[in-house]
Amino acid sequence: MDLITSAVLAAIARIAHDAPTCTAPDFLADAYQRLTAAIGRLAGASDVLAAIASLEASPDSPELRLALSKAVARARVSDDMVTLFAAQALLEQLPQPVAVAAQASVEKSALVSNYAVVTVGFATDRQRDLGKRAAQGFTNERNNSGSNGGSDSGSNSAGLSYGHCEISIPRDHRMGELESPSLWQLEFRLDPAKHVVLLDARVEDQARFFAGVAAQVKASASGSAFIFIHGYNVSFEDAARRTGQMAYDLGFDGAPVFYSWPSQGDAARYTVDENNIEWSTPHLQVFLTDFLQKSDAGKVYLIGHSMGNRGLARAVAGLIESQPELAKRIAEIILTAPDIDADVFREEIAPKLTAARHPVTLYASSEDLALAASKLVHGYRRAGDSGEGMLLLAGVETIDATGVDTGFLKHSYFAEQRSALSDMFYLIHDHARADQRFLDPVDTPRGRYWTFKP
């Protein structure tokens, strides 16, 4: 469920609850009015406003909630930043969920108003643990068997498993955050109303997986997909949660997917992760090839983070070299704080990525902890380092993200405009190049790079 629909449903649920006593506060009504006014500015707004009016009359109707979500998608309301700001402001005005009666219908309504659910696809070459439920069923080990348990296991002959996950996004989610239980707040259990939670993961065979992705693509106005490749020290569960959060925060209209390689999920096992991302790279290239052929997505955005960029960059370079026509479906290659040897990237990888004129965006930082550790281990600059010697290459738009969020962890991109995620919003939604976004150019004898506006 998108942010706009979530905000409307939450407000209507609260107003309906307060209606008998007329206690709905004025600031809530004002925020709700500002959101509907923002929607009213847009093309296709009449259908959305009509769906909202129907829900106001029958707030418990699942059919009307679905109708609103579809109307929002058709009108591409989530593409408009003003409306997204208004929705976030409304959610911030809402008090904590009120107690409700225990009838099933009321519980269902409260559930919908308390958190949204985002569906994300996945492919992984991690080993399955068939003794655990699917949401926790992928280990940190490699799948070397070539199959994870038979014809219905969701694996192909290369050892890839496929499926879809359901991710909860709390109603009062803050953009860029990956809300988790906090010991400081005496939170000991996962709560979808408060935390980004992997609710479920269903393993599917390859045909069913791609059918599901194609259905999401077909239902979108953009006909697009994105694939996220996580960095080091990331579990399968956290990769799923991060992908759901990114899709929700970006208001992404299409199919969000992640590829999870067997990172150990342990900061102390950096060198094991290095070996595993190298081992995974051929599998990732197979998956990208299949995805471009079978997903029906006309535009595919590739987003890598940290060490995950090693696999992404080499897999895409190989794909461009071997199947250039198929690679034309790649809309953007986004490398965030890439943990790749800078000289290797400059001399071997970048020429292949840019040869076919695929747009490449590189976010560099001198404050990324993983990059600092990598430089200490290897003794040489990383492609994601900023400052003196920052990579400035023809065909690559380099953005100095020092001091802002390159890990999707620290800043809210609605409250904090100077974040990598907020910049990606305009890159993906508006197809805007660096000179069309909220960035300042910096010209040097070696070339131009970009910084975030103060």
Side-chain angles (χ1 to χ4, degrees):
M1 189 184 303
D2 61 277
L3 175 64
I4 308 300
T5 303
S6 296
V8 171
L9 292 178
I12 290 175
R14 178 66 189 187
I15 292 170
H17 176 270
D18 291 337
T21 56
C22 300
T23 59
D26 290 340
F27 61 77
L28 175 57
D30 289 343
Y32 184 53
Q33 185 176 11
R34 285 193 292 273
L35 174 57
T36 55
I39 294 172
R41 302 164 32 255
L42 306 174
S46 58
D47 289 344
V48 180
L49 295 177
I52 290 174
S54 297
L55 259 175
E56 290 173 343
S58 302
D60 294 333
S61 169
E63 292 80 8
L64 293 179
R65 290 195 293 267
L66 180 60
L68 172 60
S69 181
K70 289 182 175 180
V72 167
R74 284 195 303 269
R76 302 189 67 174
V77 178
S78 295
D79 285 1
D80 181 64
M81 185 61 89
V82 173
T83 309
L84 289 172
F85 271 119
Q88 178 66 15
L90 171 59
L91 289 173
E92 291 176 351
Q93 294 290 348
L94 286 164
Q96 291 298 312
V98 297
V100 295
Q103 292 92 351
S105 60
V106 178
E107 284 181 349
K108 186 172 183 180
S109 175
L111 180 70
V112 172
S113 67
N114 288 346
Y115 65 89
V117 177
V118 177
T119 300
V120 301
F122 71 83
T124 182
D125 51 10
R126 293 175 183 262
Q127 178 65 40
R128 283 188 66 191
D129 184 345
L130 298 177
K132 294 183 179 180
R133 64 187 181 90
Q136 299 174 337
F138 288 99
T139 74
N140 298 332
E141 301 303 318
R142 302 174 180 180
N143 174 29
N144 282 308
S145 66
S147 176
N148 277 332
S151 60
D152 61 346
S153 68
S155 299
N156 66 4
S157 59
L160 293 182
S161 296
Y162 305 88
H164 282 83
C165 298
E166 305 294 335
I167 311 297
S168 69
I169 307 293
R171 187 191 67 185
D172 59 352
H173 166 68
R174 298 300 184 264
M175 299 302 164
E177 295 293 330
L178 196 65
E179 288 90 351
S180 302
S182 169
L183 293 178
W184 294 107
Q185 299 178 21
L186 301 180
E187 295 175 338
F188 303 105
R189 299 179 61 185
L190 293 171
D191 182 351
K194 296 179 180 179
H195 310 131
V196 177
V197 180
L198 173 55
L199 300 173
D200 187 32
R202 56 185 182 273
V203 177
E204 303 163 339
D205 61 31
Q206 187 188 68
R208 180 171 294 183
F209 165 76
F210 279 114
V213 170
Q216 279 186 291
V217 169
K218 185 177 180 180
S220 70
S222 65
S224 63
F226 81 68
I227 301 174
F228 173 59
I229 298 89
H230 61 77
Y232 113 100
N233 186 25
V234 176
S235 66
F236 175 88
E237 182 174 2
D238 283 345
R241 294 170 63 230
R242 178 62 68 195
T243 307
Q245 170 251 311
M246 288 174 60
Y248 188 85
D249 288 357
L250 288 170
F252 187 73
D253 178 34
V257 176
F258 68 99
Y259 185 94
S260 187
W261 52 280
S263 166
Q264 299 298 288
D266 184 342
R269 306 195 72 186
Y270 179 88
T271 55
V272 178
D273 277 11
E274 280 196 307
N275 289 327
N276 282 348
I277 188 60
E278 182 178 358
W279 173 83
S280 289
T281 298
H283 312 154
L284 175 57
Q285 183 171 338
V286 169
F287 172 68
L288 293 177
T289 301
D290 285 344
F291 194 91
L292 294 172
Q293 290 174 333
K294 301 174 182 178
S295 67
D296 292 343
K299 297 177 181 177
V300 179
Y301 299 87
L302 304 177
I303 306 172
H305 181 239
S306 187
M307 191 183 288
N309 286 297
R310 296 191 199 180
L312 174 61
R314 289 193 179 279
V316 174
L319 177 60
I320 291 173
E321 196 170 38
S322 62
Q323 300 193 59
E325 286 300 314
L326 185 61
K328 288 181 179 179
R329 293 190 179 184
I330 299 173
E332 185 84 28
I333 303 165
I334 302 172
L335 309 175
T336 307
D339 182 5
I340 307 173
D341 185 286
D343 293 331
V344 171
F345 183 80
R346 178 193 297 109
E347 297 166 10
E348 297 181 19
I349 299 174
K352 295 178 182 178
L353 296 183
T354 59
R357 299 189 178 182
H358 290 279
V360 180
T361 296
L362 189 157
Y363 293 95
S365 174
S366 61
E367 297 179 347
D368 186 281
L369 296 180
L371 288 184
S374 179
K375 186 176 180 180
L376 183 64
V377 169
H378 298 100
Y380 293 96
R381 291 183 60 83
R382 317 315 291 165
D385 285 336
S386 64
E388 185 177 354
M390 180 168 57
L391 288 180
L392 304 178
L393 305 172
V396 178
E397 291 186 337
T398 299
I399 300 168
D400 185 354
T402 299
V404 306
D405 176 25
T406 56
F408 318 124
L409 288 171
K410 299 176 183 177
H411 298 149
S412 160
Y413 91 87
F414 276 95
E416 173 57 74
Q417 285 296 293
R418 298 171 69 251
S419 74
L421 199 56
S422 68
D423 191 56
M424 288 181 203
F425 179 94
Y426 295 103
L427 190 160
I428 292 174
H429 280 258
D430 299 339
H431 312 294
R433 303 317 314 161
D435 60 353
Q436 300 170 310
R437 307 199 299 270
F438 296 97
L439 301 168
D440 284 330
V442 179
D443 290 309
T444 75
R446 296 189 298 112
R448 170 176 287 189
Y449 67 93
W450 302 83
T451 62
F452 289 85
K453 289 183 179 291

